[in-house]
C-alpha cells in the first residue's frame, strides 16, 4: 500500500474507473475477426451504484484502453458523462478529464486493476483495486475491495463514498425513481 496523500472520502466528487477487470471480470468474447469484442458482462449492482453516484451529484468517468461500442452503449445507458475509450495514456486522459470536469485530482477516486492503470491511480487522491486485481496494483492501492471486478467492486466503492458523505442509498434510489433532485 502506498503512502496516501491527506484527503477525506467526504471530499470526493469524482469517481473514475477502468472497464475491463473493474466494471467487468476482464473476460472478452471476441468475434470471428479475433479483434472485436462481441460481448462483456456488467454487474447490475455496479450499474445502479453509478446511477446513485450521479444522482448524488458526483461526476463519473470511464477511461479504457479499449474502444468498444458495447462499453459506449452501457455507459450511455447509465448516464456516464465522461467516456475515454481507446486511450493509450490514462494519465493524460485523467488530466484532460480534470480540465473538462473542473474537479481536481484531490477530489477524485480512481479504480483500476492492472498495470496500465498504475499512473492514473497514483495521480488521484484515493486509489482502489478490485480484489482480483494484479498484485502490483493491489499493493499500490489505498483500498482493495472485498468484491471482484465485474462482481460489485465499483458498487462497494460508491457505497463507501456515499456513506461517508451521509447519503442514504434507499433515499437516493427513491429520488432516482421519482426524478427528484437530491441535495
Amino acid at each position: 500500500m502506498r503512502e496516501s496523500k491527506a484527503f477525506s472520502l467526504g471530499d470526493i466528487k469524482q469517481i473514475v474507473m477502468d472497464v475491463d477487470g473493474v466494471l467487468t471480470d476482464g473476460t472478452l468474447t471476441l468475434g470471428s475477426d479475433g479483434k472485436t469484442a462481441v460481448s462483456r458482462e456488467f454487474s447490475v449492482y455496479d450499474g445502479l451504484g453509478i446511477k446513485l453516484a450521479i444522482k448524488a451529484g458526483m461526476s463519473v468517468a470511464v477511461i479504457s484502453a479499449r474502444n468498444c461500442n458495447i462499453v459506449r452503449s452501457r455507459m450511455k445507458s447509465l448516464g456516464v458523462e465522461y467516456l475515454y475509450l481507446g486511450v493509450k495514456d490514462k494519465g493524460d486522459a485523467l488530466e484532460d478529464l480534470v480540465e473538462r470536469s473542473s474537479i481536481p485530482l484531490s477530489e477524485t477516486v480512481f479504480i483500476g486493476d492492472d498495470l496500465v492503470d498504475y499512473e492514473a491511480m497514483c495521480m488521484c487522491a484515493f486509489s482502489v483495486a478490485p480484489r482480483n486485481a494484479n498484485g502490483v496494483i493491489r499493493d499500490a492501492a489505498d483500498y482493495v475491495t472485498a468484491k471482484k471486478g465485474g462482481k460489485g467492486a465499483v458498487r462497494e466503492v460508491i457505497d463507501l463514498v456515499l456513506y461517508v458523505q451521509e447519503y442514504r442509498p434507499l433515499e437516493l434510489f427513491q429520488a432516482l425513481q421519482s426524478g427528484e433532485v437530491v441535495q
Side-chain angles (χ1 to χ4, degrees), residues 122-173:
C122 291
M123 292 169 67
C124 292
F126 192 67
S127 62
V128 177
R131 184 177 87 187
N132 58 322
N134 172 278
V136 171
I137 297 304
R138 285 193 317 267
D139 290 345
D142 295 306
Y143 179 78
V144 177
T145 63
K147 305 274 188 197
K148 292 180 178 182
K151 305 294 181 188
V154 169
R155 177 68 174 272
E156 181 180 330
V157 175
I158 290 170
D159 284 350
L160 178 63
V161 172
L162 292 174
Y163 176 79
V164 168
Q165 294 184 6
E166 299 184 358
Y167 284 102
R168 302 295 171 248
L170 185 56
E171 292 172 11
L172 278 173
F173 177 72

Side-chain angles (χ1 to χ4, degrees), residues 33-34 36 45 53 69 78 84 131-132 162 174 176 180 182:
D33 67 2
T36 307
Y45 301 114
N69 287 331
L78 296 174
Y84 293 82
R131 184 177 87 187
N132 58 322
L162 292 174
Q174 290 167 338
L176 184 65
E180 292 175 38
V182 178

